[in-house]
Amino acid sequence: MVRLFLKERPYIIHSHTPKAGTVSMLAGWVARVPHRVHTVAGLPLTEATGLKRWLLIEIEKVTLWCATNVLVNSTQLSEFMIETGLCDTSKLKVLGHGSSNGIDTDFFFATSELRAKAKTIRQSLGIPAESLMFCFVGRMVADKGLDELISAFVSISKECSAYLLLVGPFEEDLDPLTSESRRLILNHEKIVHVGFQSDIRPYLTASTVLVHPSYREGFPNVVMQAGSMGLPCIVSNINGCNEIVMDGHNGIIVEPKDPVGLENAMRLMVKDDGLRQRLASSAREMIVSRYDQREFWESLLQFYQKLMVD
């Protein structure tokens, strides 16, 4: 990387992800690249403990020390970095309302074609058209809050005709679900797992509420995508999620790792049609007004142009 930078002599380099950031920021510092920009889209160290946490903090400090500018994808994450002394405040910046790239709100829109596909999906899965369906999209791992979600859903499923749709692959080697959660996913009559899907839009259109009870996030795209499709969201009170969702406006915020709180929020969505519809009516407008990708790109372009002038 140092040889590449010495050969090409870039004026600006911009890295994403922790590993790429460490390599490119350190190499950029050695090669004296004038502007070294790193985007922080989440910190794995927030859930780490002991020696692992210490090591992750020290590596992150090296990366951020080598950077001349640090773009953070959420306000709360920026505040966390300041509180923990990870980075000089003068380097930090949040573009727009946050996120790493915004989303294409035209693409994530419930068209008549997608509604037709959604109807077909419900029919093929044996889910009645009138039934409320919760949806989770993401990796099927413990730190996404899947164990709590399964527990909460099984409890409320005894009281209503709701279904739970799970979209995403199992990951057996890294942070796997409990054996009980996996058993319920495979055998519960109202839980449907469809695995990885290259296009999640028909599945979001087929759903009623997105549930994203993750333990840690940067700025989760799926919550923005679901909101853009008009779905109210139940999310954890963690950075990113609690900036995309305003409690009582376009969704409900619950504490992470709290199956009882999650169950209560899901039960409320089932029982209170008026609340659910009110949250849904605000969902798309909230995303379009704050996280449209074209506006984010314009903010990023202006940031680059300012560096070129400085």
Side-chain angles (χ1 to χ4, degrees), residues 134-181:
F134 294 103
C135 179
F136 168 86
V137 180
R139 297 178 298 113
M140 303 282 288
V141 293
D143 78 355
K144 292 294 183 182
L146 261 295
D147 290 321
E148 290 85 352
L149 174 56
I150 300 302
S151 172
F153 176 75
V154 169
S155 179
I156 68 169
S157 69
K158 300 171 184 176
E159 310 165 8
C160 64
S161 60
Y163 285 77
L164 174 61
L165 175 66
L166 303 173
V167 182
F170 281 112
E171 291 191 8
E172 302 295 351
D173 298 328
L174 179 65
D175 196 26
L177 303 179
T178 65
S179 57
E180 176 63 10
S181 291

Side-chain angles (χ1 to χ4, degrees), residues 54-279:
W54 176 85
L55 181 61
L56 290 172
I57 288 175
E58 295 308 307
I59 293 172
E60 195 71 28
K61 283 182 177 179
V62 170
T63 302
L64 302 179
W65 183 84
C66 290
T68 58
N69 300 86
V70 180
L71 299 182
V72 190
N73 70 351
S74 80
T75 301
Q76 287 203 357
L77 184 56
S78 177
E79 293 171 354
F80 172 81
M81 292 170 67
I82 294 170
E83 290 170 1
T84 52
L86 282 173
C87 183
D88 190 319
T89 306
S90 63
K91 292 184 180 184
L92 298 175
K93 183 177 180 60
V94 178
L95 293 181
H97 293 280
S99 91
S100 300
N101 197 34
I103 65 161
D104 186 339
T105 55
D106 291 337
F107 183 73
F108 286 96
F109 176 67
T111 62
S112 56
E113 180 183 358
L114 285 173
R115 286 193 290 270
K117 288 183 179 179
K119 183 178 180 180
T120 301
I121 286 172
R122 279 199 173 231
Q123 290 172 343
S124 65
L125 297 176
I127 300 172
E130 67 278 4
S131 291
L132 183 149
M133 184 159 71
F134 294 103
C135 179
F136 168 86
V137 180
R139 297 178 298 113
M140 303 282 288
V141 293
D143 78 355
K144 292 294 183 182
L146 261 295
D147 290 321
E148 290 85 352
L149 174 56
I150 300 302
S151 172
F153 176 75
V154 169
S155 179
I156 68 169
S157 69
K158 300 171 184 176
E159 310 165 8
C160 64
S161 60
Y163 285 77
L164 174 61
L165 175 66
L166 303 173
V167 182
F170 281 112
E171 291 191 8
E172 302 295 351
D173 298 328
L174 179 65
D175 196 26
L177 303 179
T178 65
S179 57
E180 176 63 10
S181 291
R182 187 178 176 88
R183 184 189 68 80
L184 288 166
I185 290 169
L186 297 175
N187 296 292
H188 196 282
E189 62 179 359
K190 292 182 180 178
I191 299 177
V192 181
H193 179 221
V194 296
F196 172 80
Q197 300 295 324
S198 58
D199 186 358
I200 64 171
R201 294 176 303 159
Y203 295 89
L204 290 175
T205 307
S207 303
T208 316
V209 179
L210 180 85
V211 188
H212 192 75
S214 183
Y215 299 170
R216 65 174 180 87
E217 290 289 341
F219 211 87
N221 283 330
V222 69
V223 179
M224 292 188 287
Q225 292 162 355
S228 187
M229 302 289 291
L231 268 67
C233 301
I234 299 173
V235 301
S236 302
N237 189 18
I238 57 174
N239 67 262
C241 289
N242 56 14
E243 294 180 49
I244 301 169
V245 171
M246 292 178 58
D247 192 40
H249 180 71
N250 60 333
I252 298 175
I253 298 176
V254 299
E255 292 304 311
K257 305 181 184 181
D258 180 9
V260 175
L262 181 60
E263 179 183 329
N264 290 338
M266 294 173 72
R267 182 177 286 108
L268 186 61
M269 285 289 197
V270 172
K271 292 185 174 181
D272 195 334
D273 291 342
L275 171 66
R276 190 179 67 250
Q277 291 170 9
R278 187 167 68 253
L279 298 177

